[in-house]
Amino acid sequence: MSNGHHPRFSRRGLLTAAGAALAGTAVTPVIRPAAAAPATFTHPGMLHSAGDLNRARVRVGAGQDPWLSGWNRLIANAHARPTWVANPQATIIRGGTGQNYGILYNDIHAAYQNALRWRISGDTAAADCARDILNAWSATLTTVTGNADRFLAAGIYGWQFANAAELMRGYSGFDLARFQRMMLGVFYPVNNDFLTNHNDACISNYWANWDLCTMASIMAIGILCDDTAKYDQAVNYFKNGPGNGSISRAVPFVYASQGLAQWQESGRDQGHSLMGMGQMGAICEMAWNQGDDLYSYDNTRFMRAAEYVARYNLGNEVPFTTYTWGTGQNCATATQTVISAAGRGQIRPVWDQLYYHYYGRLRRSVPNIAAIAGLGRPEGGGGDYGSNSGGFDQLGFGTLMYAK
């Protein structure tokens, strides 16, 4: 179907029924309209479901590759050491004077990696470390600020922080309620301001990734806080939003006969195009684990875009349609006539999630995604791809968590 949903059944309804069945409770499946908000959220239900975590635990325990190679990549990362000590700040600044946001993203990735380490190995020292990082920040952080880049900080680090907390839900001593208050009071207002007002700029001024990280944060906060309105805000923007993060604007041109589609930032550079694969991929995976198939929405529009970005970064040619948009506050016209080769061929940990979804789950032919994923396997995470912020735009470890 063009919108990615079965005409009669909702994955969310099936997931709810399956979860109850796994818990040993007999249920009659509740079939909801595909567009309905979740009656209850599935937990864990962001980037990693209970099934993902169990598969990784079993396969690593059995010493099987590629999971074992992915695990070894995780435990070799300094951020995954249970000795990591948090450095919480009351104010995080990205952009302008006094930037300190690197402190935040390093601590987030340490919390996430230690949470994964615990979930897969049962190492309670790692769990204690992750818990202590999350608790320290929720007790301290009050403000995310800076120039316009503050919106990137609230977006990227919002969804990543929420994912770390989701893995720690229910762990002894983790103050989930206080963490939820931080996400609702510090991150969400900045997210909502951007998605609503776009920093008072022309609606097309900001690149797709600005919307996407904001949408991902709002979706993750919705799941973490069992807030259907926020979850639906993100899903609805993905489908119909006026900014460049909505699917038809993030992927403006489709080359159906070639199985490709042009990504909105392709004429800018390839580093940001790869970032877009990770940001939209995070949205799609979180929605999938709550019963919404955005991966296939609009005739697999995102899959075609991922094939396009992968194909070009493998060194192959792709079509390019002149891209024109409005900039600044007055929507002054800007135009790109050719695809950008800047940053072409770099490796980022965004591909295994897409490969193991489109091929592993759906058995779709994705030759370019398959080829580029193979070059980066086993995928690492924050700290494995340089020390600047770009190396922390994705949580990573897709080989460990998504291989099927």
Side-chain angles (χ1 to χ4, degrees):
M1 304 301 291
S2 62
N3 67 357
H5 284 296
H6 190 287
R8 291 182 58 212
F9 301 105
S10 147
R11 282 195 69 252
R12 183 186 296 122
L14 297 176
L15 285 173
T16 302
L22 287 171
T25 303
V27 298
T28 300
V30 178
I31 308 303
R32 301 185 180 89
T40 58
F41 284 91
T42 299
H43 298 296
M46 291 192 207
L47 288 183
H48 311 308
S49 67
D52 294 331
L53 294 162
N54 185 63
R55 181 183 58 246
R57 181 168 56 249
V58 169
R59 298 296 189 177
V60 170
Q64 296 178 326
D65 270 334
W67 301 273
L68 182 61
S69 295
W71 168 255
N72 288 335
R73 192 89 195 262
L74 171 65
I75 62 175
N77 192 308
H79 292 75
R81 294 174 187 164
T83 53
W84 188 279
V85 177
N87 183 19
Q89 307 291 308
T91 300
I92 284 296
I93 302 169
R94 178 165 178 168
T97 303
Q99 290 192 123
N100 63 349
Y101 66 102
I103 296 171
L104 176 59
Y105 66 65
N106 276 283
D107 274 4
I108 290 172
H109 283 253
Y112 171 76
Q113 291 179 28
N114 273 280
L116 272 191
R117 187 168 186 158
W118 166 60
R119 284 283 197 163
I120 293 168
S121 72
D123 183 350
T124 56
D128 289 348
C129 177
R131 175 199 63 201
D132 292 347
I133 295 169
L134 298 175
N135 282 346
W137 279 92
S138 69
T140 307
L141 183 66
T142 61
T143 307
V144 175
T145 189
N147 63 19
D149 286 357
R150 70 189 183 277
F151 297 114
L152 291 174
I156 298 168
Y157 312 134
W159 71 258
Q160 293 181 351
F161 228 166
N163 266 274
E166 179 76 352
L167 290 174
M168 297 307 298
R169 181 186 290 269
Y171 186 73
S172 177
F174 173 45
D175 195 336
L176 175 62
R178 190 175 70 196
F179 196 90
Q180 290 170 325
R181 289 194 295 272
M182 178 187 71
M183 299 307 299
L184 291 168
V186 177
F187 288 88
Y188 178 74
V190 184
N191 300 151
N192 187 57
D193 181 24
F194 183 77
L195 217 56
T196 303
N197 301 309
H198 284 86
N199 203 28
D200 297 323
C202 180
I203 191 65
S204 59
N205 178 74
Y206 287 96
W207 301 101
N209 276 309
W210 291 69
D211 271 3
L212 289 170
C213 69
T214 300
M215 294 152 60
S217 182
I218 291 173
M219 177 178 282
I221 292 169
I223 296 168
L224 185 73
C225 300
D226 295 296
D227 188 326
T228 58
K230 290 177 177 56
Y231 175 85
D232 282 349
Q233 179 183 6
V235 171
N236 292 336
Y237 202 98
F238 178 95
K239 295 178 179 178
N240 302 305
N244 285 326
S246 63
I247 185 66
S248 64
R249 291 171 173 81
V251 188
F253 307 111
V254 177
Y255 311 104
S257 64
Q258 300 176 63
L260 304 173
Q262 187 171 315
W263 184 251
Q264 191 260 347
E265 301 200 41
S266 295
R268 180 189 185 191
D269 62 54
Q270 296 311 304
H272 286 96
S273 295
L274 292 174
M275 178 185 177
M277 301 299 98
Q279 303 299 309
M280 186 169 278
I283 292 169
C284 290
E285 186 68 17
M286 289 190 291
W288 177 269
N289 285 326
Q290 295 302 327
D292 285 308
D293 186 4
L294 301 184
Y295 277 117
S296 298
Y297 189 79
D298 197 9
N299 197 23
T300 60
R301 198 177 184 104
F302 178 42
M303 183 187 79
R304 296 163 191 260
E307 275 287 283
Y308 179 98
V309 173
R311 179 174 174 79
Y312 186 67
N313 281 277
L314 285 166
N316 302 309
E317 295 306 306
V318 294
F320 187 86
T321 300
T322 295
Y323 179 69
T324 302
W325 74 103
T327 66
Q329 291 184 311
N330 299 317
C331 291
T333 300
T335 301
Q336 293 167 340
T337 59
V338 296
I339 192 169
S340 173
R344 188 179 188 183
Q346 63 182 268
I347 298 297
R348 288 203 183 192
V350 300
W351 295 112
D352 262 349
Q353 178 193 319
L354 304 185
Y355 172 71
Y356 285 114
H357 176 77
Y358 286 117
Y359 178 74
R361 284 176 178 147
L362 305 185
R363 290 296 188 260
R364 298 294 297 263
S365 175
V366 284
N368 296 293
I369 295 172
I372 202 167
L375 295 177
R377 194 174 291 143
E379 289 181 346
D384 291 324
Y385 299 89
S387 60
N388 65 21
S389 61
F392 293 81
D393 285 341
Q394 298 81 33
L395 288 173
F397 301 105
T399 310
L400 172 64
M401 296 312 302
Y402 299 114
K404 295 175 178 63

